[in-house]
């Protein structure tokens, strides 16, 4: 049963315990989890029925907390000074020592982050003491929620609690600006901060191609490319076993003989497997290169629940490059 809460400290305690909590921002209600907890982040995708592991926006109580996780240049700091707290998300290079779960960034070398303007959201983030990953609090593909009633209609029984925050003032999602390349700024999603206002701070901004108006832009955009942040070693799917010169990404009982092994979930738990997927690919890629292995073999994943998202990511990682 999903609880309706009015106390940010109580909601923060649930987040620290690995539970999901929906909360109001000035844009829409977000479905929050401790961004440093792999299993909690995986639970977001499960609760939403999200078909792909798209990067999630990580929320922070202030800019300095955000800068601890990413490399922020002068453009990012100027935009934060102008629009944070507020409906602007920045995509920046992830720091090597970032503790945010790889799944929250969809395994990319960037993180999307913002400081929300809603006072209750800021109170929750300060009380939680951890970055909070939060997409919109609705089923995947459905209309974004702007009230607690909307969230309960969509996700009752799928999340631990909804923190009552009233109606959302902005009502559309944040603008998402990619600053991961030093050569320019690219607007990945229009939203609460107009592109003209962003350009007034950082200069010309690349615009997204409208749906149906042409090919998708080639700048970094979650989940659009067929071969999407693949390991260096080639990846073989639906493998029953691995040769001595291959690494094995295992799901369930692992056959012997692989040159290196990473177990996604011995118990065949899809949430555990989702939480460990990106770390597993990175670990096997590094081990394989150290040992001179020729590739990575991935055991079959069932096409149900989170398995659909895992299979999607593996298919992209195995695609021709």
């Amino acid at each position: 049963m999903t609880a309706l809460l009015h106390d940010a400290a109580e909601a923060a305690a649930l987040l620290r315990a690995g539970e999901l909590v929906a909360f109001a921002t000035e844009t829409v209600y977000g479905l929050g989890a401790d961004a440093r907890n792999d299993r909690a982040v995986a639970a977001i995708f499960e609760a939403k029925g999200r078909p792909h592991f798209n990067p999630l926006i990580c929320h922070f109580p202030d800019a300095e907390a955000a800068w601890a996780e990413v490399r922020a240049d002068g453009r990012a700091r100027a935009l934060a000074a102008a629009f944070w707290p507020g409906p602007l998300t920045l995509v920046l290079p992830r720091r090597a020592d970032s503790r945010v779960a790889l799944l929250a960034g969809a395994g990319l070398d960037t993180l999307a982050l913002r400081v929300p303007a809603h006072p209750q959201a800021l109170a929750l983030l300060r009380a939680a003491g951890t970055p909070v990953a939060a997409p919109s609090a609705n089923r995947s593909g459905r209309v974004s929620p702007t009230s607690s009633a909307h969230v309960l209609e969509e996700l009752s029984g799928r999340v631990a609690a909804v923190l009552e925050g009233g109606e959302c003032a902005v009502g559309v999602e944040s603008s998402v600006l990619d600053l991961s390349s030093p050569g320019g700024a690219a607007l990945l999603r229009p939203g609460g901060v107009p592109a003209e206002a962003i350009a007034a701070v950082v200069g010309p901004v690349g615009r997204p191609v409208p749906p149906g108006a042409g090919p998708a832009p080639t700048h970094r955009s979650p989940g659009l490319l067929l071969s999407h942040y693949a390991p260096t070693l080639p990846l073989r799917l639906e493998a029953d076993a691995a040769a001595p010169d291959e690494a094995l990404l295992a799901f369930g009982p692992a056959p012997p003989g692989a040159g290196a092994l990473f177990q996604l979930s011995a118990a065949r738990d899809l949430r555990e497997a989702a939480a460990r997927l990106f770390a597993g690919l990175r670990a096997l890629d590094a081990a394989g290169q150290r040992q001179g292995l020729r590739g990575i073999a991935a055991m079959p994943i069932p096409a149900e629940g989170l398995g659909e998202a895992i299979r999607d990511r593996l298919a992209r990682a195995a695609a021709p490059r």
Side-chain angles (χ1 to χ4, degrees), residues 15 28 34 65 68 80 83 117 182 184 188 222 242 260 274 292 301:
L15 287 173
V28 299
D34 179 353
F83 301 115
L188 302 185
I301 303 292

Side-chain angles (χ1 to χ4, degrees), residues 1-3 20-23 29-32 43-50 135-140 142 145 148-162:
M1 188 68 178
T2 297
L20 300 185
V21 176
F23 63 99
Y29 271 71
L31 177 56
I44 289 177
F45 294 94
E46 187 174 43
K48 284 178 66 72
R50 196 167 179 132
S136 57
N138 55 282
R139 303 278 188 101
S140 185
R142 302 286 290 273
S148 60
H150 295 162
V151 178
L152 290 170
E153 287 171 10
E154 291 276 324
L155 298 176
S156 183
R158 291 175 170 241
V159 302
V162 178

Side-chain angles (χ1 to χ4, degrees), residues 163-292:
L163 180 60
E164 176 59 68
E167 300 284 335
C168 298
V170 175
V172 297
E173 288 87 349
S174 62
S175 303
V176 179
L177 186 72
D178 185 359
L179 294 176
S180 61
S181 300
L187 188 67
L188 302 185
R189 181 180 74 186
V193 176
E196 294 77 12
I198 296 170
V201 177
V202 296
V205 174
R207 302 294 187 93
V209 176
T218 57
H219 56 251
R220 189 188 308 275
S221 186
L224 295 181
L225 301 180
L226 179 60
S227 180
H228 197 55
Y229 288 83
T232 302
L233 294 176
L235 180 65
R236 180 168 65 89
L237 304 181
E238 305 295 329
D240 295 326
D245 61 351
E246 287 183 303
L248 180 65
L249 187 67
F251 181 73
L261 174 71
F262 187 95
Q263 178 59 260
L264 290 175
S265 176
R268 296 177 60 83
D269 181 320
L270 288 170
R271 184 183 296 186
E272 180 183 21
R276 292 170 57 79
L277 176 61
F278 295 118
L281 286 173
R282 290 189 180 204
L284 290 183
D285 198 34
Q289 291 183 71
R290 284 196 308 270
Q291 299 174 40

Side-chain angles (χ1 to χ4, degrees), residues 18-82:
E19 300 286 353
L20 300 185
V21 176
F23 63 99
T25 75
E26 76 280 18
T27 58
V28 299
Y29 271 71
L31 177 56
D34 179 353
R36 293 172 174 167
N37 183 327
D38 295 287
R39 288 182 68 90
V41 173
I44 289 177
F45 294 94
E46 187 174 43
K48 284 178 66 72
R50 196 167 179 132
H52 306 295
F53 288 140
N54 290 327
L56 304 176
I57 296 172
C58 294
H59 295 68
F60 297 84
D62 54 60
E64 290 310 308
W67 303 153
E69 305 292 343
V70 295
R71 300 196 304 275
D73 59 14
R75 299 172 302 167
R77 293 177 184 274
L79 287 165

